[in-house]
Amino acid sequence: MNDPNGVGFYVPGALLLLAGCLKLPALRRNPGDELLRSVCVLLFVAAAVFAVAAVPSIAAVNRVTGVANAAAPVVYTVLTAFSGANLVLVIRWSSGPDDARRAARWSRRCHAATVAVIVAINALFVLGDAPVERLTDLDTYYASTPYIREMIVLYLAAHTTTALLMTFLCTRWARLVRGPLRAGLVLIVIGYLLNLVYDALKFTAVGARWAGRDLDHLSWPIAPPVAAVSALLIGLGLVLPLLSQRLTDHLGLWRRYHRLQPAWRELRAATGRGIGPAGGRWTPIEVRVIQTESEIHDGILAVNPYLDPGLREAALHEALKTAPSADEAAAVADAAALAHAVVVWAGDAGGRAPTAAEHPAGRALLASPRTSAGLVRMSRALSGSEVVRAVREAALREAALREAALREDGGRPRSGGPGDAPGAEAGAQPSEASA
């Protein structure tokens, strides 16, 4: 890449550095996550590759150190570290819990091999003699210089070996998976195939020098753009499945939060709170879900004495006729019993709670709220089941008749009668703060 200002290197390097920084908070929360640590290391090393390989950076390293071509072992060191980080990440990424020991063993071997190559590269540079500064064509200019020649061949051989291993591992793995992970692996494979093209160009140019010919243009300016595109594709391939998983998890939490809203609306009067997310609009979705589930459970506890086992059994019998599964039928029955209990709780004009004989204390009548999935099923049934709708309407009519009878007898109805029961008004919406 004929880029004397280094923009073509610095921009993608900055993007990779930003991606690595965005991963740091997750690493701080999970310091023992080996996969996440490997991802962060890879992103930072990839950013370093672009940073040190730019022509201005090469010149700066040479100038600061006062050693002509001191940047060469630095660039080769970072490239070798990037290759090793890729291998370690794929080993950890493709290994399940049962393969943790084997993955750790192979990761240690990769680390050891990477360190050995890096030490050899720097030792060979120290032993060699490269007095003339070459910013772009050191590989071919010193192709026949003792020790420098071996340094160049060693770094290219290590780079090629990594490219072959990564292509093989990722191709084999891509055949076994689907979705974003497979797309990411395909990008990695394409990136490493380009890496092999880069290595072939470099080897050809160096070999031509050994044969007394001049094919330096293959090494520069043709090879560097190939390497730059390769690194970007590899970085995208590694990040894509992780970002996709994060996005999927985030959307799943929002979907769960909205599916819990019918139960929250049904019980918000019984909770005695219904204050909405503690942090307002900026409350994380994880906190919103936890708070919503907590308020739903509080509401269930409040109306628990009013749950009718007989009504739930009748609703279950009716739901089993049309429900696609036993769990769905149980959710409909629980929702019907809960809707009835909320209306009775809100319109209990006589103030008489059920006796222990009618409803034993501490008895957990509802089965669905015991799991998060069951709670969501029950919440959906509260807003979408005909059985629940019929039970709620019947309870509201009974409560209205009871209140009318009390009025005729001169009794004073409780504040918050059946007309104020949650769910009584069709299409009731949560408060703006809770949304």
Side-chain angles (χ1 to χ4, degrees):
M1 185 179 296
N2 192 7
D3 185 12
N5 296 320
V7 176
F9 287 87
Y10 293 140
V11 171
L15 293 175
L16 289 168
L17 179 63
L18 176 62
C21 291
L22 292 176
K23 287 292 179 184
L24 287 179
L27 183 60
R28 282 196 294 267
R29 292 192 298 268
N30 304 282
D33 191 329
E34 295 288 346
L35 177 60
L36 186 57
R37 184 185 299 119
S38 298
V39 171
C40 290
V41 169
L42 180 81
L43 290 172
F44 286 122
V45 174
V49 169
F50 280 97
V52 301
V55 172
S57 298
I58 294 173
V61 171
N62 294 339
R63 183 173 61 254
V64 170
T65 60
V67 178
N69 300 308
V74 174
V75 173
Y76 296 162
T77 292
V78 176
L79 281 170
T80 303
F82 177 69
S83 299
N86 272 273
L87 278 173
V88 170
L89 177 58
V90 168
I91 289 171
R92 293 193 180 280
W93 199 3
S94 60
S95 300
D98 298 337
D99 298 328
R101 286 188 177 181
R102 184 174 63 85
R105 183 170 63 253
W106 278 104
S107 296
R108 288 193 296 269
R109 291 175 179 174
C110 286
H111 286 310
T114 301
V115 171
V117 172
I118 289 173
V119 170
I121 285 172
N122 286 273
L124 289 168
F125 179 78
V126 172
L127 292 173
D129 184 21
V132 180
E133 183 182 53
R134 310 301 300 184
L135 298 180
T136 60
D137 62 346
L138 182 138
D139 294 343
T140 51
Y141 188 86
Y142 288 106
S144 300
T145 303
Y147 297 112
I148 303 298
R149 172 186 57 214
E150 284 76 11
M151 178 189 72
I152 295 168
V153 172
L154 177 60
Y155 117 78
L156 286 175
H159 198 252
T160 303
T161 301
T162 300
L164 289 171
L165 286 173
M166 288 291 291
T167 302
F168 171 74
L169 291 174
C170 293
T171 300
R172 185 179 63 177
W173 190 14
R175 293 171 180 169
L176 304 176
V177 295
R178 293 291 183 272
L181 178 55
R182 185 175 188 178
L185 290 170
V186 170
L187 286 175
I188 293 172
V189 169
I190 296 173
Y192 271 103
L193 289 175
L194 288 176
N195 254 351
L196 291 173
V197 173
Y198 168 85
D199 293 330
L201 291 171
K202 286 285 188 177
F203 269 124
T204 302
V206 170
R209 278 289 185 134
W210 294 343
R213 299 180 60 189
D214 184 355
L215 295 178
D216 291 6
H217 63 281
L218 297 180
S219 178
W220 184 278
I222 296 178
V226 175
V229 174
S230 166
L232 279 177
L233 289 175
I234 292 169
L236 286 173
L238 292 167
V239 171
L240 176 62
L242 301 173
L243 290 179
S244 176
Q245 183 61 49
R246 174 62 178 167
L247 180 61
T248 300
D249 293 344
H250 196 72
L251 292 176
L253 284 171
W254 274 107
R255 185 163 53 248
R256 181 170 152 198
Y257 173 72
H258 284 293
R259 287 177 175 177
L260 288 170
Q261 291 305 298
W264 181 85
R265 290 195 295 267
E266 193 86 23
L267 291 161
R268 62 180 169 180
T271 64
R273 296 202 309 272
I275 58 176
R281 295 181 181 275
W282 303 108
T283 302
I285 184 57
E286 295 86 353
V287 177
R288 288 174 180 262
V289 171
I290 292 172
Q291 182 177 341
T292 301
E293 289 183 343
S294 177
E295 290 193 11
I296 290 172
H297 283 293
D298 288 346
I300 292 173
L301 287 175
V303 303
N304 188 62
Y306 298 88
L307 293 170
D308 187 339
L311 184 144
R312 183 187 183 280
E313 287 300 318
L316 179 62
H317 178 74
E318 189 67 24
L320 285 170
K321 298 177 181 178
T322 56
S325 67
D327 287 339
E328 291 290 342
V332 170
D334 288 341
L338 187 62
H340 178 268
V342 168
V343 174
V344 176
W345 171 86
D348 186 8
R352 183 190 70 83
T355 65
E358 293 172 317
H359 192 88
R363 178 181 176 183
L365 178 65
L366 306 182
S368 298
R370 296 172 189 171
T371 65
S372 295
L375 195 63
V376 169
R377 283 194 295 268
M378 186 185 73
S379 180
R380 295 177 65 186
L382 279 166
S383 63
S385 170
E386 291 296 331
V387 174
V388 176
R389 187 176 294 110
V391 168
R392 183 187 291 114
E393 291 174 354
L396 288 170
R397 286 195 298 270
E398 182 181 345
L401 290 174
R402 186 185 303 115
E403 183 173 352
L406 286 172
R407 289 182 183 278
E408 291 178 1
D409 292 341
R412 296 184 62 189
R414 287 175 52 193
S415 61
D420 297 327
E425 181 180 352
Q429 298 295 326
S431 64
E432 181 179 352
S434 69

